Amino acid sequence: MQQTRSQVSERDGLYELEAGSDVLDSPRYNHDIAPTKVHDRTWNKWHITALWVGMSICVPTYTLGGVLTAYFGLTVGEALLAILLANTVVLIPLTLNAFPGTKYGIPFPVLLRSSFGIIGSNVPCLIRALVACGWFGIQTMFGGLAIHLFLGSLSADWKALGGTGEVIGFMLFWCLNLWVVLRGAESIKWLETLSAPLLVLVGAGLLVWALPNVSISELMAQPPKRPEGASVYGYFFAGLTAMVGFWATLSLNIPDFSRYAKSQKDQILGQIFGLPLTMFLFAALGVVLTAASTSLVGETVSDPVNLIGHIQSPMWVALAMALIIIATLSTNTAANIVSPTNDFQNLAPKWIGRTTAVLLTGLVGLLLMGHELLKKLGWIVSDVSLESVYSNWLLGYSSLLGPIAGIMVVDYFLIRRQTLDLAGLYRDDVYPAWNVAGFIAFGVPVALTLLSLQSQAFSWFYDFGWFTGSALGGLIYYALGTLKAARTASFKPTV
């Protein structure tokens, strides 16, 4: 006989829900976004390290140094320092927001029910989902190009397809990504674990290939592309904000992965081992290879897929492209599909299961890349580059996501004091449908960010968007939470 009320048990600091009919019959619950059972939390620090290695070694990381030097006016040394600092800074919200996922086994959208409300959580969820779908499309574009070059190295007829072959490659890679995620979290864990050492070898091999063709001292001495005499600080912190924005999305939905961690120690150490150094080294490799590309292939090439495509040996091209396909797959499945899959389910858990949510993610990502795909087919002509699209996304969307990160940290650690009603997160009778405090704390920084775009005097608020947004959002949420607690205490009857 099914129990009526849900029960929560604790084992070594990890909480587990035995769902009763109050939760199982709730419209806010389904099996995929339910709390992970303790025996299913099997990811140790090395699995989480491999997750970050797999996500960090990708084409956009490779191009970050070039983005910072070309679009933000930094020297190579300043760009690499900004990347290292940004990924050290972003460890703070990543680690803190991972805590409730590990403790309670809950994914990101369920955690947001505490700070934004049971229904209100869908607003920040959909903002996060849209960003992820955009990145999914961008990464799938790179993966599709790698498939096209791989098949082109084996067949001259395929190579002759040109842009049409790239579009077919895109669709093949699109299907492969969705297939991996539909197989579940364990398939993602093993993909990341097996691909991590291969990706490190790819990076080492590319470095050995490039180093004889570039002077590191000359590279570091190149002058910055900013007005002569301009202060470095504004340019540096704008670039720093953009680099924080690169993983600002994961700093929100890290509970989607930490819910599988064996312990808090495992999630903390795994993230420290896996993120900052990997990002720094692969971005540095991108700077070196881009500088060496003129000597290697006769022209400046800023992404590894096209660079390797210039190699004359079909065998080496085929091998390198196979490894890049694995690298892009390991990044895309974890970083860009898991989150929107959970976010879309949060809209209507009884109606949208994992399969439907994965297909929705794929469809939105496909639509967002429609413009680029039509260009490759030759059906439209446009000067908008993929690189400019994602470099602008980094800064713009980090400004929107910053307040959510600050609100989540303050809600869990300062307002809730690391205590959540686990069963209540899946019902309608514990947490409000809409938490007004969360929306005020989110809306004010976003409004100020948009207003700062119209004022030169306050442009710094936008340039430092993630920092200003997360700090202000957290402060406003804490003030509102403290005020509410004070009012509640003042209305308690005296005895």
Side-chain angles (χ1 to χ4, degrees):
M1 181 178 177
Q2 187 183 89
Q3 61 186 33
T4 303
R5 298 295 294 180
S6 300
Q7 302 294 322
V8 177
S9 58
E10 183 265 340
R11 189 190 314 167
D12 298 325
L14 304 180
Y15 287 74
E16 184 174 88
L17 178 68
E18 286 296 332
S21 58
D22 59 325
V23 165
L24 294 173
D25 296 338
S26 169
R28 314 302 168 197
Y29 175 92
N30 74 19
H31 175 74
D32 293 313
I33 61 172
T36 309
K37 296 293 185 182
V38 172
H39 65 79
D40 290 326
R41 302 181 201 180
T42 59
W43 294 31
N44 62 32
K45 59 181 177 291
W46 301 117
H47 292 125
I48 295 170
T49 298
L51 172 75
W52 278 110
V53 171
M55 289 195 295
S56 298
I57 297 180
C58 60
V59 175
T61 300
Y62 177 100
T63 62
L64 288 182
V67 167
L68 287 174
T69 54
Y71 290 91
F72 292 90
L74 301 183
T75 66
V76 170
E78 291 163 356
L80 295 179
L81 178 61
I83 291 167
L84 183 61
L85 282 178
N87 285 283
T88 303
V89 167
V90 85
L91 270 178
I92 298 171
L94 273 167
T95 304
L96 293 177
N97 282 329
F99 264 77
T102 301
K103 182 175 180 178
Y104 291 102
I106 52 176
F108 164 66
V110 173
L111 176 60
L112 276 184
R113 294 173 180 179
S114 171
S115 51
F116 284 87
I118 298 294
I119 298 175
S121 61
N122 288 302
V123 175
C125 276
L126 290 178
I127 292 172
R128 168 66 184 100
L130 178 64
V131 179
C133 289
W135 277 111
F136 166 64
I138 290 169
Q139 292 275 17
T140 303
M141 193 67 70
F142 288 126
L145 175 59
I147 287 178
H148 168 65
L149 292 174
F150 172 78
L151 295 174
S153 69
L154 303 177
S155 167
D157 290 337
W158 186 279
K159 187 175 182 179
L161 289 174
T164 302
E166 291 183 38
V167 173
I168 296 172
F170 176 95
M171 295 309 303
L172 291 172
F173 194 66
W174 185 87
C175 293
L176 181 60
N177 278 267
L178 301 190
W179 176 77
V180 169
V181 178
L182 285 172
R183 290 177 60 85
E186 280 297 298
S187 68
I188 294 174
K189 181 179 82 171
W190 288 114
L191 171 65
E192 302 296 338
T193 302
L194 293 172
S195 66
L198 288 175
L199 303 183
V200 172
L201 286 174
V202 170
L206 289 173
L207 187 62
V208 170
W209 179 47
L211 275 179
N213 295 278
V214 66
S215 168
I216 300 298
S217 58
E218 289 180 9
L219 187 61
M220 300 298 286
Q222 288 179 357
K225 296 177 182 178
R226 57 177 179 259
E228 190 174 349
S231 172
V232 67
Y233 296 108
Y235 291 90
F236 182 83
F237 282 106
L240 183 69
T241 299
M243 292 306 98
V244 169
F246 192 85
W247 288 124
T249 50
L250 263 293
S251 73
L252 303 184
N253 77 284
I254 190 62
D256 289 333
F257 301 101
S258 66
R259 65 191 289 218
Y260 300 107
K262 285 185 173 183
S263 68
Q264 299 291 4
K265 182 179 178 181
D266 283 302
Q267 68 91 354
I268 294 169
L269 290 178
Q271 296 198 85
I272 291 173
F273 294 162
L275 177 60
L277 197 57
T278 306
M279 286 290 295
F280 172 79
L281 291 175
F282 201 66
L285 174 66
V287 171
V288 170
L289 275 169
T290 301
S293 61
T294 304
S295 298
L296 290 168
V297 299
E299 62 180 282
T300 300
V301 182
S302 61
D303 80 77
V305 181
N306 277 310
L307 179 60
I308 295 168
H310 282 77
I311 298 174
Q312 297 302 312
S313 168
M315 182 189 73
W316 284 112
V317 170
L319 177 60
M321 287 305 150
L323 293 173
I324 284 178
I325 291 166
I326 294 171
T328 310
L329 181 66
S330 66
T331 301
N332 221 12
T333 51
N336 302 321
I337 305 181
V338 170
S339 177
T341 294
N342 289 334
D343 296 338
F344 288 138
Q345 287 185 81
N346 193 60
L347 284 167
K350 294 298 186 189
W351 296 94
I352 304 176
R354 185 175 66 191
T355 299
T356 303
V358 169
L359 294 176
L360 272 174
T361 299
L363 179 61
V364 175
L366 178 62
L367 291 174
L368 288 174
M369 286 297 105
H371 175 269
E372 191 70 18
L373 293 172
L374 292 176
K375 273 176 59 180
K376 290 185 180 300
L377 289 170
W379 294 359
I380 61 172
V381 178
S382 172
D383 294 329
V384 177
S385 71
L386 200 60
E387 185 181 65
S388 66
V389 169
Y390 71 73
S391 64
N392 289 328
W393 270 45
L394 288 176
L395 189 58
Y397 272 97
S398 68
S399 303
L400 292 179
L401 298 174
I404 302 173
I407 290 165
M408 289 173 67
V409 170
V410 169
D411 180 73
Y412 183 70
F413 286 95
L414 300 181
I415 303 297
R416 308 291 179 186
R417 299 187 183 277
Q418 300 186 62
T419 301
L420 299 173
D421 186 323
L422 188 54
L425 289 170
Y426 293 89
R427 304 199 308 259
D428 290 324
D429 58 346
V430 176
Y431 296 92
W434 298 83
N435 186 355
V436 176
F439 283 94
I440 293 174
F442 173 65
V444 170
V446 169
L448 289 175
T449 298
L450 296 175
L451 289 173
S452 70
L453 290 172
Q454 312 301 318
S455 170
Q456 190 64 35
F458 290 98
S459 61
W460 58 270
F461 197 92
Y462 174 79
D463 291 340
F464 309 148
W466 190 88
F467 296 99
T468 52
S470 58
L472 185 57
L475 284 171
I476 293 173
Y477 189 80
Y478 181 72
L480 293 173
T482 303
L483 182 63
K484 180 181 178 181
R487 285 180 175 177
T488 301
S490 67
F491 284 113
K492 284 184 178 179
T494 57
V495 284

